[in-house]
Amino acid sequence: MEIGRFEAETTLPKLEFECALEAADFHKEWVRCSMLANYVAGYTAYQFVRREWAENLISTVANDFLEAVIRLSPDGDTLTMHCTQYAESLLLEVSHSLRPEMAQAYRAFLTDVCTQGADALYFQLLTAAERLQPAFNQLGLVMLVHDFGARLAARLEDAGAVVTRVFIPTKDLSA
């Protein structure tokens, strides 16, 4: 089942790398999310005129994205993160599993974001007295769409495997 636009980029990548991540390592040492996000940002932002600003923005987006998919993943899962930079966008794609108790909530959340838009959901999550259960950084994911113009997409398999993507437009980083 695909949620959101899962099309391939038509231009050649400027940069591409992939890494394997053990979910249990991140669950034990949560700071690893920000360390990996900072690495991705530092590695991809070097080419922008406003490098420091681009690095901060990319790090914020990568961190919120990683926190969500890692929180959704069971301890024994190995996640694969693929980072591809194109002329107009940065694509972060993570292949992961879902904790069984999270699958339905994640599917419903992504459907809401991709079909209804982020504005109403962002305001709802921002003003909620309690966090949605099960929690997996819903506010962070909606913020990516609302504040940074990112696009989310996911392909969910029956066996619990998921590929989640976040597309970040980079045209504003080049100014």
Side-chain angles (χ1 to χ4, degrees):
M1 167 186 200
E2 287 185 10
I3 301 172
R5 294 185 296 172
F6 214 84
E7 75 276 357
E9 183 70 43
T10 58
T11 61
L12 292 174
K14 296 171 84 173
L15 165 78
E16 204 168 2
F17 66 90
E18 184 173 279
C19 56
L21 317 165
E22 296 297 323
D25 289 342
F26 288 86
H27 294 158
K28 281 187 236 172
E29 297 289 334
W30 198 246
V31 71
R32 290 178 191 245
C33 286
S34 64
M35 291 169 60
L36 182 56
N38 290 340
Y39 173 77
V40 168
Y43 201 78
T44 58
Y46 72 91
Q47 64 189 311
F48 295 106
V49 175
R50 297 170 54 196
R51 179 182 177 177
E52 194 172 300
W53 186 76
E55 192 170 336
N56 187 45
L57 184 132
I58 294 168
S59 177
T60 299
V61 170
N63 188 65
D64 280 322
F65 178 59
L66 287 167
E67 283 184 358
V69 295
I70 289 169
R71 192 166 305 253
L72 289 161
S73 301
D75 263 346
D77 194 24
T78 298
L79 298 85
T80 303
M81 184 184 77
H82 192 96
C83 177
T84 311
Q85 188 169 12
Y86 299 98
E88 300 294 324
S89 66
L90 179 66
L91 168 63
L92 298 177
E93 179 178 270
V94 177
S95 300
H96 58 102
S97 298
L98 290 174
R99 294 175 190 223
E101 69 274 14
M102 302 283 214
Q104 186 174 5
Y106 188 54
R107 182 178 290 120
F109 170 79
L110 286 172
T111 300
D112 286 348
V113 171
C114 294
T115 59
Q116 299 174 14
D119 292 342
L121 188 54
Y122 179 75
F123 184 72
Q124 176 189 353
L125 290 169
L126 196 59
T127 59
E130 296 180 17
R131 290 176 84 180
L132 294 177
Q133 293 301 324
F136 51 83
N137 197 21
Q138 292 97 327
L139 181 59
L141 287 175
V142 171
M143 180 191 72
L144 300 181
V145 177
H146 183 270
D147 292 351
F148 301 111
R151 289 189 339 249
L152 293 174
R155 184 173 39 233
L156 295 94
E157 307 294 333
D158 289 335
V162 181
V163 175
T164 303
R165 287 180 163 182
V166 62
F167 297 87
I168 309 160
T170 57
K171 65 181 183 292
D172 296 334
L173 300 176
S174 300

